[in-house]
């Protein structure tokens, strides 16, 4: 395969990230951790290759990730953890919406609403 035919390669494992629903890069973009202008300059990883972020995904389509040590959500402030689960799970669900949309969605419409202005229902917790 020619280099230009490859998708983004995972910074951690070196394998291709073949779907937006497996993309740490696009999850960080939809939850507001990454500006659109930096999207093409930022490293890509599979969600499972970034466990400190993916441990906060509570969705039946994603097998839970356990982090041991300082970044284990079980060791962190419960209010912070609840906000992270809500925001990151909603971001993951947004990736599925984008992936399954029959019509193209503008990159500018990928992000979920800010927590302060959000009127969307919160994601159910799978924990």
């Amino acid at each position: 395969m020619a280099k230009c035919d490859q998708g983004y390669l995972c910074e951690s494992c070196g394998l291709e990230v073949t779907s937006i629903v497996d993309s740490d890069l696009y999850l960080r973009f939809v939850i507001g951790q990454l500006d659109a202008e930096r999207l093409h300059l930022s490293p890509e990883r599979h969600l499972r290759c970034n466990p400190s972020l993916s441990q906060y995904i509570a969705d039946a389509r994603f097998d839970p990730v356990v982090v041991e040590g300082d970044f284990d959500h079980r060791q962190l402030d419960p209010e912070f953890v609840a906000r992270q689960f809500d925001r990151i799970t909603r971001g993951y669900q947004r990736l599925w919406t984008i992936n399954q949309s029959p019509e193209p969605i503008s990159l500018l419409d990928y992000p979920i609403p800010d927590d302060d202005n959000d009127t969307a229902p919160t994601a159910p917790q799978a924990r």
Side-chain angles (χ1 to χ4, degrees), residues 24 34 52 57 84 86 89:
D24 162 77
L34 188 63
S52 62
I57 298 171
Q84 290 293 89
D86 179 64
T89 297

Side-chain angles (χ1 to χ4, degrees), residues 59-114:
D59 187 286
R61 295 168 287 199
F62 190 81
D63 290 331
V65 172
V66 176
V67 173
E68 300 292 336
D70 293 339
F71 296 104
D72 180 345
H73 72 79
R74 298 168 293 185
Q75 307 298 324
L76 302 175
D77 175 69
E79 288 181 33
F80 169 80
V81 169
R83 286 191 310 271
Q84 290 293 89
F85 265 107
D86 179 64
R87 184 171 61 103
I88 293 170
T89 297
R90 286 188 298 119
Y92 180 73
Q93 293 167 342
R94 178 66 178 151
L95 294 180
W96 276 96
T97 299
I98 293 164
N99 188 56
Q100 295 176 336
S101 176
E103 299 294 322
I105 297 174
S106 168
L107 186 67
L108 299 176
D109 292 329
Y110 278 25
I112 59 174
D114 290 338

Side-chain angles (χ1 to χ4, degrees), residues 48-59:
R48 300 197 89 57
C49 291
N50 185 1
S52 62
L53 179 70
S54 61
Q55 70 176 328
Y56 294 106
I57 298 171
D59 187 286

